[in-house]
Structures are given as C-alpha cells and as structure tokens.
Amino acid sequence: MSIDVKYTTSARAEGGRDGTARSDDGALDVLLSTPKALGGPGGDGTNPEQLFAAGYSACFIGALKVAGRQMKIAIPDEVSVDAKVGIGPRAEGGFGITADLTVELPGIPREQAEALVEAAHQICPYSNATRGNVDVGLALA
C-alpha cells in the first residue's frame, strides 16, 4: 500500500485510560476517564472510544463531500453523522471495537443518499483503516 501523505500530526497520552492526552500543537488537550461500564471510575474525562467516534463521524462527512463532488450531488450544510462505537472482549482474546454510522442527508433522495454513503465508505480513511478489522454498520437516518 502506498500513501502520498499530505498531513501528519501526533498526540501523546500519559497515564493510560485515566490520564491525559494532548496533540502536538495543543489544540487537543483532554482528561481521560475509564467508563464505569469498563470497570473504571467514570468521571469528567473522555475516553478513546469517544475520540474515535468523533473522529470517524467528522471524517465520514468529509468523505461524503468528496463523494458528492464526484457524483455531482450537493451535500447539504445540515449533513450529520452519528457514530456509535462499542468496545468489548473478542472471542479470539483481547478486545475489539465496533462502529455504527447513522448518516443524515436532508433533502437528498434516499437512492442518492444510499449511493453517497456507499461511495463515502470507500473514500473515508477511517473506513479504509477499519475494513476487515472492525464491524462497521451504515444506516441512513
């Protein structure tokens, strides 16, 4: 696989799931907390699954816009993607994640919206990174 990298960033985490994470430019600086459902204390911090959900949903909107340009379909400003990310033990050992994306494309006929979502799923870097490794569900709102 060959990738022509156009942008690189980095982040540093300290303390694991009950620590902190900060991007190299400081734009992201978050407190992390393990959810009670995973045996942690909960708390005011975010967690890696929430960060993944936010990143995947935002990136998928970008992919929808690229697909829209390619298909000559205007993507409405009100486009939204809800990403639901799950985590749990895998039958094979270790832990795995799941992702379900619900896309809202107001004003786009259903058939076109379905085609846009499928095209975006082929374009989105998160979709490409997870393909074959993570169960990803796609739905229209």
Side-chain angles (χ1 to χ4, degrees):
M1 172 174 41
S2 176
I3 298 173
D4 180 15
V5 175
K6 301 295 185 191
Y7 172 74
T8 301
T9 189
S10 64
R12 178 184 180 103
E14 295 179 350
R17 286 183 162 272
D18 293 305
T20 60
R22 184 176 192 278
S23 62
D24 59 353
D25 64 1
L28 175 73
D29 192 350
V30 296
L31 176 67
L32 302 171
S33 299
T34 302
K36 288 182 181 182
L38 293 178
D44 294 333
T46 188
N47 60 65
E49 294 72 37
Q50 290 171 322
L51 295 169
F52 184 80
Y56 201 165
S57 58
C59 192
F60 203 84
I61 290 172
L64 284 165
K65 291 179 179 181
V66 171
R69 283 193 298 275
Q70 290 175 350
M71 299 168 73
K72 297 186 181 3
I73 300 170
I75 302 300
D77 291 338
E78 301 80 18
V79 61
S80 66
V81 175
D82 292 319
K84 181 178 178 182
V85 173
I87 182 172
R90 295 173 357 124
E92 302 85 358
F95 286 82
I97 61 172
T98 62
D100 290 293
L101 305 180
T102 302
V103 180
E104 190 169 344
L105 286 161
I108 304 285
R110 186 159 191 89
E111 187 174 300
Q112 283 186 332
E114 288 172 350
L116 283 164
V117 168
E118 286 302 320
H121 191 47
Q122 298 306 310
I123 293 167
C124 180
Y126 278 71
S127 293
N128 288 327
T130 59
R131 191 169 288 113
N133 299 307
V134 174
D135 290 335
V136 176
L138 301 171
L140 285 171

